Structures are given as structure tokens and as C-alpha cells.
Amino acid sequence: MLFQVYVVFVSFVLGLLRGVSAGKYNVQDTYIGGSFYDGFNAQAGDDPTGGRVNYVDTPTARRLNLTYASSNTFILRADFTSVLRPNGPGRNSVRLLSNKQYGTSVVVADIRHIPQGCGTWPAFWTVGNPWPQQGEIDIVEGINDQGANLATLHTSPGCTQPPRRPQTGSPVSSDCNSAVNSNQGCAVKSTQPNSYGPGFNANGGGWYAMERTSTRISIWFWPRGSNPPRNVANGEKGIDTSTWGTPMAVFVNDSCDISSKFGRHNIVINLTFCGWAGDPRLYSAAGCPSTCVDHVNNSPSSFVNSYWNFASLRVYV
Ligand SMILES: *[C@@H]1O[C@H](CO)[C@@H](O)[C@H](O)[C@H]1NC(C)=O
Ligand SMILES: *[C@@H]1O[C@H](CO)[C@@H](O)[C@H](O)[C@H]1NC(C)=O
Ligand SMILES: *[C@@H]1O[C@H](CO)[C@@H](O)[C@H](O)[C@H]1NC(C)=O
């Protein structure tokens, strides 16, 4: 009895301490090389957003070498050899969904390469079910090799973001509601040209991290060769986000009830073609050839660099 009282007391004190030291987390799941196959599954089918893609299932992805794992590398890529029939399915690619869902947590990814090429639309993100009631957090996203990374929230109505927040990126749009502004969401554009696409890849990639608390969502980026926090660079078991400095993007609770707009999320890594990237205005503004669909159908070798390379992905709670 006395012992039980003692245990309750100790866990109460530990709870208080944890409250005081907000920002400290311990690793729960580590995905490196082949363990991506334990934690993620490929979702076959068409792109719900109308991309020129054919998402294959896990056995097909492995057989076609569209996913590939070694001891320290996980690759996810699109087909780069087939010419497509105009009326047939889109380009083979992979959309991975984590088996687990996470609530308040920190996701840290060491990424060596982001898919590049005209018409490509890769994303590394988290999403709840149903959408948009449970929210979507886009950590890495871009199109057509254009500029720097875009970090975005998509929610149900009633979540907006103030223009001035403690972040290094530039706010692009303020209403996170997926039903307005063509589902632009509330986006923040990085000011670092090496945060996405060819600039990111030429620099050997870098680290992305996303922290969810009940009142705040933060996204950090550290390019390779910069000085990331030691616990990030070394993949340590314990991290402390309070020492990480100003994030690239922060989404605050002021006019958005973060805890009710975001439920438990799966992690998604996807790679689609056209869709948003194929918007004729954006596609030609990027200096891309022909039309997006025609390029994706007829120029397989243009997609040889359309792959993700993950060194590691860790989730801390
Ligand atoms: C791929 O990722 C982006 C992330 O924002 C998303 O909008 C798009 O719907 C995704 N497509 C698929 C088919 O998963
Ligand atoms: C499979 O993909 C990996 C990584 O892209 C590559 O190193 C390997 O050579 C490929 N294997 C075959 C048989 O093409
Ligand atoms: C978060 O924001 C919502 C709506 O703006 C508000 O009702 C709620 O009290 C806030 N929560 C905290 C912990 O500040």
C-alpha cells in the first residue's frame, strides 16, 4: 500500500517535471533502411488529386525496385524507363503511409535527396482521417523544382494564422481552411534555396523536423553542412526542441484551436506528377517543356532523379 502511494507520488512528480521541461522527448520509432518496410505500407491506386501517376502496392514497388533498402538507405522512386500510353495509367510511383498514428510528437527526418524534375510533386507530410477534420501538416512540399520548401496546414473551417510569428520563413497565406482559396491552406515559404529540389540535392540534403504540441506546430530545416542541434545530427535517443532555435515555420493557437483541428496522424511520403505541378501557368513559368502530361508520358529519362533518399526517420514522443 505504502509502495503504491509512493509510486503514484513519484509518477506525479515526474509528470510535473515533464511539464516544466517542455520540449524534451524520447525516441519511440526509428526507421532506417529495411525498417521502413516494417513501419510503412504502399497504397496502390490513382492519385485522389488527379496526378498523372499510378501508385503501386508494396510487393510491386519492391519487385520493380521503386522502393529499395540497404542498411543505411531507403529509396522511394518513380519509374524512369517506360513510355506511357496516352490513355493508359500514369507513371508508376509510390505513396507510403505509416502503420502507426501519432498525436503530440516530434518527427525528425535525415533526407539526402528529394525527387526533382519538371512535373514532379513530392511531399513528406502527416494527415488524419477523416480529412480535413483531423488536419494535414505538409512538412516538405514543392513542384517543378521551383524555389524553396513550402510548409502548410490544411484544416476544417475556423483556423487562421497571424502574419507575424516567430519564424524564419515568409507567410504566403493565412487561412488554413481547405475549403477556401483552392485549398491553398496556410503556407509558409522557406527563405533557404537549399531547402527543396535541386538546391537541396546539390547540397547533400539536410534535416527536417516537425513538432506537434497541443497548442503549436513547428517545422525546422537544417541544410547539410550547417550546424544542426547535436541531438538531431547524431540521431540521439533524447531530444530537446526548446534548444533548437527559431523554426522555419510555426503555427500558433491564437485563432486556431490546434488540439481540436489536429487528430492523430499517419506519416505519408508520396511522389506524384502533374496535378498541381501541371497547372499550365505554373508549369510553363518553371521553364518546363511541352505540357506536363505529355512530358510525363514520353520522357521517362527525365525522371531518373525523381527519387527520395532517406537516411533515417525518427518519431519522438
Ligand atoms: C501527395 O502529397 C500532397 C501533400 O500535400 C497532397 O496534397 C497530395 O494529395 C498527395 N497525393 C497523394 C495521392 O497522396
Ligand atoms: C535498385 O535501386 C537501387 C537504388 O536506387 C540501385 O542502387 C540498384 O542498383 C537498383 N537495382 C537494380 C537491379 O536496378
Ligand atoms: C487555443 O485556441 C482556441 C481558439 O482560438 C481557444 O479556444 C483555446 O482556449 C486555446 N487554447 C489554449 C490552450 O490557449
Side-chain angles (χ1 to χ4, degrees):
M1 175 63 191
L2 206 56
F3 179 70
Q4 278 158 335
V5 169
Y6 172 76
V7 168
V8 168
F9 177 74
V10 167
S11 40
F12 174 73
V13 171
L14 284 177
L16 281 183
L17 285 176
R18 195 172 312 149
V20 172
S21 57
K24 289 212 163 108
Y25 299 80
N26 291 308
V27 73
Q28 184 183 74
D29 292 302
T30 300
Y31 303 107
I32 294 177
S35 61
F36 273 88
Y37 290 125
D38 303 329
F40 287 80
N41 250 297
Q43 295 188 296
D46 290 337
D47 183 349
T49 52
R52 185 78 182 119
V53 76
N54 178 50
Y55 282 126
V56 302
D57 61 17
T58 303
T60 309
R62 296 181 75 156
R63 182 169 52 79
L64 298 177
N65 205 30
L66 300 181
T67 57
Y68 166 85
S70 70
S71 62
N72 64 0
T73 300
F74 183 78
I75 308 261
L76 179 165
R77 70 175 321 137
D79 169 286
F80 60 96
T81 56
S82 312
V83 171
L84 308 181
R85 281 179 293 116
N87 299 320
R91 186 157 295 285
N92 282 345
S93 181
V94 185
R95 180 191 206 259
L96 283 187
L97 186 75
S98 67
N99 299 330
K100 281 198 188 177
Q101 293 195 316
Y102 303 96
T104 55
S105 56
V106 183
V107 176
V108 180
D110 181 345
I111 306 174
R112 300 192 186 100
H113 193 277
I114 288 176
Q116 69 178 69
C118 280
T120 59
W121 176 11
F124 169 50
W125 51 301
T126 73
V127 66
N129 190 9
W131 184 92
Q133 288 77 14
Q134 299 299 317
E136 170 180 339
I137 304 171
D138 300 330
I139 305 168
V140 180
E141 187 175 18
I143 50 166
N144 297 325
D145 297 346
Q146 281 295 86
N149 184 50
L150 209 52
T152 309
L153 305 185
H154 301 269
T155 66
S156 57
C159 172
T160 60
Q161 290 297 315
R164 290 179 175 282
R165 284 121 72 193
Q167 60 189 6
T168 62
S170 315
V172 175
S173 47
S174 60
D175 196 341
C176 313
N177 178 4
S178 66
V180 301
N181 304 326
S182 319
N183 188 21
Q184 194 180 8
C186 48
V188 175
K189 193 153 185 86
S190 169
T191 53
Q192 292 168 277
N194 57 11
S195 59
Y196 180 75
F200 177 92
N201 296 336
N203 190 47
W207 294 263
Y208 271 98
M210 187 274 285
E211 178 186 34
R212 274 181 71 179
T213 74
S214 57
T215 54
R216 183 177 282 256
I217 294 168
S218 312
I219 294 170
W220 287 265
F221 170 63
W222 301 278
R224 193 85 56 208
S226 68
N227 213 0
R230 203 192 56 235
N231 46 42
V232 170
N234 298 342
E236 287 172 7
K237 288 193 160 56
I239 55 171
D240 184 355
T241 58
S242 69
T243 66
W244 286 2
T246 307
M248 176 237 137
V250 69
F251 302 95
V252 295
N253 194 77
D254 306 16
S255 49
C256 177
D257 191 1
I258 299 270
S259 67
S260 76
K261 293 293 177 193
F262 295 87
R264 294 178 70 76
H265 278 191
N266 293 92
I267 302 170
V268 189
I269 306 167
N270 70 354
L271 167 56
T272 188
F273 299 99
C274 304
W276 180 33
D279 174 313
R281 200 174 40 84
L282 301 175
Y283 183 79
S284 62
C288 288
S290 174
T291 66
C292 189
V293 168
D294 184 64
H295 180 65
V296 170
N297 287 352
N298 295 312
S299 185
S301 63
S302 299
F303 299 94
V304 69
N305 288 319
S306 200
Y307 66 91
W308 288 100
N309 180 333
F310 278 82
S312 63
L313 174 56
R314 290 182 171 86
V315 185
Y316 297 81
V317 294

